[in-house]
Amino acid sequence: MSFYLSDNQDPWSKPGQKKSEQQNNGSEPQEPKQQNNQQPPDLEEVFSSLLRKMGGKKDQNGNPQPASFGKFIPAVIALAAVIWGASGFYTVQEAERGVVTRFGKLNQVVLPGLNWKATFIDDVIPVNIERVMELNTSGSMLTQDENMVQVEMTVQYRVEDPAKYLFSVNNPNDSLKQATDSALRYVIGHMKMDEILTTGRATVREQTWNTLRDIIKNYDMGLLITDVNFQYARPPEEVKAAFDDAIKAQEDEQRLIREAEAYARGKEPIARGQAQRIIEQATAYKEKVVLEAQGEVERFSKLLPEYKSAPQLTRERLYLQTMEKVMSNTPKIVMEGGANINVLPLEKLLGNLTASQPTTKAIMAEPVIQQPVKPKIAVQEQPQPEIRRGRF
């Protein structure tokens, strides 16, 4: 029966035990370790073994000696410096400002972008200067006429100076709330309740804004008030119904006033247009009369030489022209019929359309007298000189 032993197998040891486990620098053989009771490695032994491998010298017996750690100190320091320097880089966002403190004291305010700080020495606190924050305040307040009113107001603000916002006051948001409440109470206390509930809302908003701005200016908190909104103002519940009626009456009054103003604005241009039209008509009539008078003067000036040369003929012509103008506006026709004068109602004839056009012209071609008279009036016939008949 033959046995095969490996190179690492000791023939005098137990089966499965190697030479390296039996010899431990000339010491006694150790018992094999149990796998279930493994102990953690000793850190000192691991570190010593690492140093021996990194360049430790050997003694006369060939055992490695611990290497000197002094020559690795500069490398360790350089590595630590690189890590320390790289850890100081940080980024500030676009809407933020970085407040740098050195050992807890304000040092500087950095702009957005990539920056560097000394780690363990400087601290950076980012502050958003573009975000608009909102603050609400409300409560029961006493008016000038000694009435209680429920008021609520909203204040919108943002950070203007990050350094002052962090270090000027202990709690800037709480300080702003107290300042807003103080300013609102001051404004409400100098106004009457009816004015606050109806027409004074814009006044309350504007005065509160100005007062609050003056207060925080003295505090120097680094805040900027962007807007102040007056939410509501209402009386106590016990008298709310009566105040609602009063407010409704005032609103109706304002509505009627606006309607009257709108009606006036609608009627005023029409009246102005009519007045201007009357003025233009009067001006045109004036110019017409003046021009007609000037024309008559010019016409008579031209007739004067003719009248001087032939007075009788000129008078007859003027008479015929005048009668033509007068009789053209008369709806009746007077006909000479012996001792009686007949008057024809031409308006009835034209209204009934019983006469034809040639007959009407023949009737109008008959001789007429100077003035129309009442029918059935006897007039003594007077001899008339022979004159030239015209269109009548």
Side-chain angles (χ1 to χ4, degrees):
M1 183 175 184
S2 61
F3 296 91
Y4 296 93
L5 298 176
S6 62
D7 297 335
N8 294 330
Q9 181 70 36
D10 189 1
W12 306 107
S13 64
K14 295 180 180 180
Q17 186 177 6
K18 299 179 181 180
K19 290 183 180 181
S20 59
E21 293 179 358
Q22 184 179 0
Q23 295 179 357
N24 187 8
N25 296 328
S27 59
E28 296 179 355
Q30 298 180 357
E31 296 181 357
K33 297 181 181 180
Q34 297 180 0
Q35 296 181 355
N36 295 333
N37 296 327
Q38 293 181 355
Q39 298 296 327
D42 192 354
L43 296 179
E44 294 182 358
E45 295 180 358
V46 173
F47 190 67
S48 299
S49 175
L50 180 61
L51 291 179
R52 287 193 299 268
K53 292 180 180 180
M54 289 176 62
K57 297 181 180 180
K58 296 183 180 181
D59 54 6
Q60 296 178 357
N61 297 327
N63 296 325
Q65 295 180 354
S68 178
F69 190 69
K71 62 180 181 180
F72 296 102
I73 293 177
V76 172
I77 293 175
L79 180 61
V82 171
I83 295 174
W84 178 80
S87 64
F89 289 99
Y90 65 95
T91 304
V92 179
Q93 300 298 326
E94 181 66 25
E96 296 177 347
R97 297 293 184 270
V99 180
V100 181
T101 59
R102 180 162 295 172
F103 297 111
K105 184 178 179 181
L106 176 64
N107 184 25
Q108 63 178 346
V109 178
V110 296
L111 298 176
L114 182 63
N115 299 276
W116 184 86
K117 66 179 179 65
T119 307
F120 307 119
I121 298 176
D122 295 344
D123 291 329
V124 179
I125 305 174
V127 179
N128 194 324
I129 64 172
E130 294 184 3
R131 183 182 62 183
V132 178
M133 294 172 283
E134 190 173 88
L135 174 67
N136 295 327
T137 180
S138 61
S140 299
M141 302 179 185
L142 188 65
T143 61
Q144 186 179 7
D145 51 357
E146 298 181 356
N147 289 319
M148 295 298 296
V149 60
Q150 296 285 339
V151 180
E152 182 178 354
M153 178 168 285
T154 302
V155 178
Q156 295 180 353
Y157 65 98
R158 64 178 180 86
V159 178
E160 185 179 20
D161 192 335
K164 293 180 180 179
Y165 175 74
L166 294 176
F167 299 104
S168 292
V169 294
N170 187 18
N171 192 344
N173 296 327
D174 185 65
S175 300
L176 179 61
K177 180 176 177 59
Q178 295 180 8
T180 303
D181 187 72
S182 176
L184 183 59
R185 289 182 182 276
Y186 175 80
V187 173
I188 295 298
H190 287 77
M191 297 181 65
K192 295 184 179 180
M193 188 171 186
D194 293 340
E195 185 179 2
I196 296 171
L197 297 178
T198 55
T199 60
R201 298 175 61 89
T203 305
V204 173
R205 174 182 176 273
E206 184 178 358
Q207 292 184 1
T208 304
W209 195 345
N210 295 332
T211 306
L212 179 60
R213 194 166 8 188
D214 296 337
I215 293 175
I216 65 174
K217 184 178 180 180
N218 297 327
Y219 288 172
D220 199 16
M221 295 186 295
L223 297 178
L224 177 64
I225 306 299
T226 59
D227 195 9
V228 175
N229 297 320
F230 188 62
Q231 298 295 333
Y232 67 84
R234 57 177 179 234
E237 295 297 333
E238 293 78 4
V239 293
K240 187 175 183 301
F243 273 96
D244 290 342
D245 294 339
I247 293 173
K248 186 176 182 302
Q250 293 180 358
E251 291 177 353
D252 293 340
E253 178 185 3
Q254 296 297 324
R255 179 177 56 80
L256 294 176
I257 291 174
R258 289 192 294 270
E259 290 179 356
E261 292 176 352
Y263 178 78
R265 287 193 296 268
K267 289 296 183 181
E268 183 178 0
I270 298 176
R272 291 182 182 275
Q274 292 178 354
Q276 187 67 26
R277 180 173 58 83
I278 294 173
I279 292 173
E280 295 294 337
Q281 290 179 352
T283 304
Y285 178 74
K286 172 185 175 182
E287 294 177 356
K288 176 184 176 182
V289 172
V290 171
L291 293 176
E292 288 180 353
Q294 292 176 355
E296 292 292 332
V297 170
E298 186 68 21
R299 187 171 64 86
F300 280 110
S301 299
K302 292 181 179 181
L303 287 175
L304 182 60
E306 298 179 1
Y307 179 78
K308 290 180 179 179
S309 60
Q312 184 64 25
L313 183 61
T314 304
R315 282 197 298 269
E316 291 179 2
R317 186 161 62 87
L318 293 176
Y319 171 75
L320 293 175
Q321 292 178 355
T322 303
M323 291 304 297
E324 182 179 0
K325 291 181 180 180
V326 172
M327 298 304 293
S328 62
N329 298 324
T330 302
K332 297 182 181 181
I333 298 176
V334 179
M335 300 178 61
E336 182 180 359
N340 297 328
I341 298 177
N342 297 325
V343 179
L344 297 178
L346 187 60
E347 67 275 7
K348 293 183 179 180
L349 295 177
L350 294 176
N352 296 329
L353 296 177
T354 57
S356 61
Q357 188 69 19
T359 307
T360 305
K361 291 183 179 180
I363 294 173
M364 295 180 65
E366 294 294 332
V368 297
I369 62 175
Q370 184 175 0
Q371 294 180 354
V373 295
K374 297 181 180 180
K376 298 181 180 179
I377 296 178
V379 180
Q380 295 181 357
E381 297 182 359
Q382 296 180 358
Q384 299 179 356
E386 293 184 359
I387 60 176
R388 185 176 58 186
R389 292 182 179 274
R391 286 179 294 176
F392 293 88

